[in-house]
Amino acid sequence: MYYQEYAKVLVSVDVIVFGFDAGKLKILIGKRQLDPGRGEWSLYGGFVGADESLNDAAHRVLFDLTGLRNLYIQQVGTFGSVDRDPGERVISVAYYALINVKDYDDALRQQHNLEWVIVENVPKLYSDHNEMVQMALKLMRTKIKTAPISFRLLPSLFTLTQLQKLYEAVMGEEVDKRNFRKRVKDMDFIEKTELIDKTTSKRGAYLYRFNKRAYDEDPYFKL
């Protein structure tokens, strides 16, 4: 009964899902299944329900997409250009999420007709979705220096080489191996185990794990 004199605007959420696989940072994209823009490459999203908060809608969309809960998710920003959607006046709030690719059921990816695409090779996406991806990547590059979000992209046990390759993939640049490992080994919350990964060489490499309790007690973390 209120605000009848004002035009109604649709609100949606779009999710940029990052994964790390084969030494590359990737995102999930697919071909749009509806008009306008049917057949164009796009992020995965959905409209916000009348009884949902923005965060609730983002978590719902993410669960529908991955079947996974308790994922790391962060709001990227709001995109509201008047002509961003030729169908209706739609304001979209973008989020980015981090998942371990090995935890993601590939059958679910195929069900949604999605593909993992290397960040550097992302094609032209629908509307302003490329802008969303770039903003999400910028935010993640800042966050990864001050918070342990990188471990959300790795298995629970990982090698230092995997950790370094992930950091390089996110930052888009190589780092000095010796200095990187020295800094990592000075961090009490990255624990060396007695387990050895022999999948890449006969000699193998020690496996490490993230200790959340130790991290919570270290206020000076910076990779």
Side-chain angles (χ1 to χ4, degrees):
M1 60 181 293
Y2 302 108
Y3 314 124
Q4 296 296 323
E5 67 273 28
Y6 297 103
K8 300 299 186 289
V9 176
L10 296 173
V11 179
S12 67
V13 293
D14 287 292
V15 182
I16 305 105
V17 179
F18 288 104
F20 180 68
D21 186 44
K24 300 292 185 179
L25 184 67
K26 302 179 179 182
I27 66 168
L28 276 175
I29 61 173
K31 296 290 185 71
R32 278 177 64 86
Q33 303 297 310
L34 71 164
D35 294 317
R38 185 184 297 270
E40 294 183 30
W41 288 107
S42 172
L43 296 173
Y44 193 84
F47 289 103
V48 179
D51 58 348
E52 284 184 311
S53 68
L54 286 172
N55 285 347
D56 287 343
H59 282 284
R60 171 179 56 78
V61 167
L62 186 58
F63 179 74
D64 180 56
L65 174 63
T66 67
L68 301 172
R69 298 192 186 277
N70 300 318
L71 297 174
Y72 178 86
I73 185 170
Q74 184 73 40
Q75 190 176 123
V76 174
T78 304
F79 297 78
S81 296
V82 174
D83 59 351
R84 64 173 302 277
D85 191 310
E88 287 285 351
R89 179 77 167 96
V90 181
I91 294 174
S92 181
V93 181
Y95 289 77
Y96 79 86
L98 308 179
I99 69 172
N100 177 8
V101 173
K102 303 303 181 186
D103 291 338
Y104 183 31
D105 185 351
D106 200 57
L108 194 56
R109 177 191 65 79
Q110 295 180 43
Q111 176 184 323
H112 289 293
N113 296 311
L114 299 172
E115 293 186 20
W116 284 110
V117 178
I118 298 172
V119 167
E120 291 86 354
N121 298 337
V122 173
K124 174 68 175 68
L125 302 176
Y126 176 74
S127 186
D128 47 13
H129 289 188
N130 288 91
E131 184 181 346
M132 293 179 182
V133 172
Q134 290 305 310
M135 188 175 293
L137 187 58
K138 181 179 179 180
L139 291 173
M140 185 166 59
R141 285 173 173 168
T142 299
K143 192 75 170 181
I144 201 172
K145 296 178 181 178
T146 58
I149 64 172
S150 57
F151 305 109
R152 296 284 193 154
L153 293 163
L154 292 170
S156 57
L157 295 173
F158 52 86
T159 66
L160 292 185
T161 297
Q162 286 177 303
L163 182 60
Q164 180 183 335
K165 292 297 184 184
L166 168 59
Y167 189 79
E168 291 176 335
V170 172
M171 299 305 295
E173 60 186 19
E174 292 185 3
V175 298
D176 181 79
K177 178 178 178 179
R178 182 179 300 177
N179 289 337
F180 183 85
R181 294 195 173 204
K182 182 178 184 301
R183 282 182 288 169
V184 168
K185 289 180 179 180
D186 288 339
M187 298 173 185
D188 293 336
F189 53 85
I190 300 180
E191 294 181 337
K192 182 179 180 181
T193 72
E194 296 303 315
L195 302 174
I196 297 178
D197 174 27
K198 292 187 177 181
T199 59
T200 56
S201 68
K202 291 183 178 180
R203 182 180 179 184
Y206 278 102
L207 289 166
Y208 290 73
R209 63 187 170 204
F210 171 62
N211 185 323
K212 186 177 185 303
R213 179 178 296 179
Y215 168 77
D216 290 339
E217 297 173 356
D218 183 356
Y220 303 108
F221 165 64
K222 187 172 184 180
L223 194 57

